Amino acid sequence: MDFDQKTDLNHVQDNLLEEVSAENKITDSTILKIIMSNSQDTIYFKDINSKFIANSKAHAIQFGFEDTKKLMGMSDFDFFPEEFAQAALRDEIKIMETGIPILGKIEKWVSPEGKCVWFSASKYPIFSDTGEVIGTWGTSRDITSLKVTQEELARLNEKLEATNLKLQKLSDLDGLSELFNQRRFHEVLEENIELYRQKRELGFKNTFSVILMDIDGFKLINDKFGHPMGDRAIRFLSDIIRKNKRENDICFRCGGDEFAMILLDTDINVAKHVAERLCKTIEQSSFIFDDNEINLTISVGVEDYQQDESIAKLLIKVDKKLYMSKEQGKNQVN
């Protein structure tokens, strides 16, 4: 390091020492004046009657004044709506009674022009030299832009949740029948097996039942009339199932011409009655496609859940019942 560099460094150090020394000579009144004149947060002091005795520049500008002294002797009732001013007064009375500050309170004010303004306010007691509470002071920060951003974010989140819910619902639906799909069928089965297992452990005896059904002669319909007719048959049957199910019954298309229902809190006897009624309704219904009247029938298997039964075991049982209906002549329930 050469002589000139050393001289420059010493000069910088001397200036820093002078600045530190000057800072140490700043009086409390000077610090307060700097804060009250330059703070972007509003600052105010109030007497025991909640009248202003000192205000920051930002606080005066908020009410349309350049001179802070013009606010002296005024109160919140001179500027804010009655409800807002009363709420602020209650806070100040509580602070003066307890000596405990209120920190970070969110306040909402609607200006005479109809503009909604949000503040984050903190309020404190003023103590005399003898420890007596003689008023309050506080600060507030305009957080309107933050609240607007938060509200917009909340709206976007609501839209996103609605979209996700819609997508989830679509992912659970079979596109042709608009019933729940096979994946959802297995999910609901798994959920209810666990639920009813827990109920049994608590001493409840109720159970749920599963109905499996498929369209009799569906391959012949496709071969004779084409796949558009087969699709129409799927939709027709789905509508009948949907219209005739009970409020808590859950309906599924498990692929091809196979359908399923889960009947909550329903034993096999009641479930068979539901299935037989549905079977009869379908038999008595028909639809027209390209001048062809089509009559459908279904074969049905019914079983209910037994204690500690797995999904696989339950489905094997009900599938056997469906096969029996096919073997015994179709258009029936087992």
Side-chain angles (χ1 to χ4, degrees), residues 3 28 52 77 105 112 154 170 204 230 239 275 286 300:
F3 177 80
D28 290 344
F52 293 124
F77 290 92
K105 182 176 181 179
L170 289 173
F204 294 96
D239 288 340
S286 62
V300 186

Side-chain angles (χ1 to χ4, degrees), residues 284-300:
Q284 294 173 350
S285 303
S286 62
F287 67 95
I288 306 297
F289 185 82
D290 288 345
D291 297 327
N292 296 295
E293 183 176 358
I294 306 298
N295 292 93
L296 298 177
T297 62
I298 59 172
S299 296
V300 186

Side-chain angles (χ1 to χ4, degrees), residues 8 90 110 116 140 188 226 278 283 313:
D8 289 342
R90 287 193 295 271
V110 180
C116 183
S140 64
V188 176
L278 180 61
E283 180 187 13
K313 186 175 180 180

Side-chain angles (χ1 to χ4, degrees), residues 7 51 71 76 86 106 118-119 132 135 138 163 208 211 224 239 258 263 279 290 324 329:
T7 302
K51 302 287 186 180
L71 273 72
D76 287 337
Q86 286 287 359
I106 304 302
W118 293 87
F119 299 102
E132 180 185 2
T163 300
F208 72 94
I211 295 175
K224 183 175 181 179
D239 288 340
E258 188 172 279
L263 285 63
C279 192
D290 288 345
M324 286 173 58

Side-chain angles (χ1 to χ4, degrees), residues 184-288:
R184 186 60 183 148
F185 174 56
H186 285 275
E187 289 176 350
V188 176
L189 266 182
E190 185 175 355
E191 291 165 4
N192 280 283
I193 281 179
E194 176 61 21
L195 174 63
Y196 283 86
R197 182 191 64 77
Q198 293 176 9
K199 285 185 175 183
R200 292 290 180 89
E201 290 178 353
L202 294 173
F204 294 96
K205 301 299 182 183
N206 52 332
T207 187
F208 72 94
S209 293
V210 176
I211 295 175
L212 283 185
M213 62 195 102
D214 66 17
I215 301 173
D216 296 326
F218 184 69
K219 185 176 184 302
L220 295 176
I221 294 174
N222 276 331
D223 291 345
K224 183 175 181 179
F225 300 104
H227 288 285
M229 172 67 87
D231 290 348
R232 176 68 185 274
I234 294 294
R235 287 192 290 266
F236 180 75
L237 182 59
S238 302
D239 288 340
I240 293 177
I241 292 172
R242 193 164 26 243
K243 290 175 183 177
N244 287 273
K245 80 178 189 68
R246 301 172 308 169
E247 183 178 359
N248 292 326
D249 297 339
I250 311 169
C251 306
F252 310 83
R253 181 189 175 209
C254 296
D257 62 324
E258 188 172 279
F259 296 81
M261 295 176 66
I262 295 177
L263 285 63
L264 305 179
D265 292 331
T266 304
D267 64 22
I268 191 169
N269 294 319
V270 176
K272 277 189 173 182
H273 177 72
V274 172
E276 286 166 355
R277 189 181 63 212
L278 180 61
C279 192
K280 181 64 69 174
T281 299
I282 293 169
E283 180 187 13
Q284 294 173 350
S285 303
S286 62
F287 67 95
I288 306 297

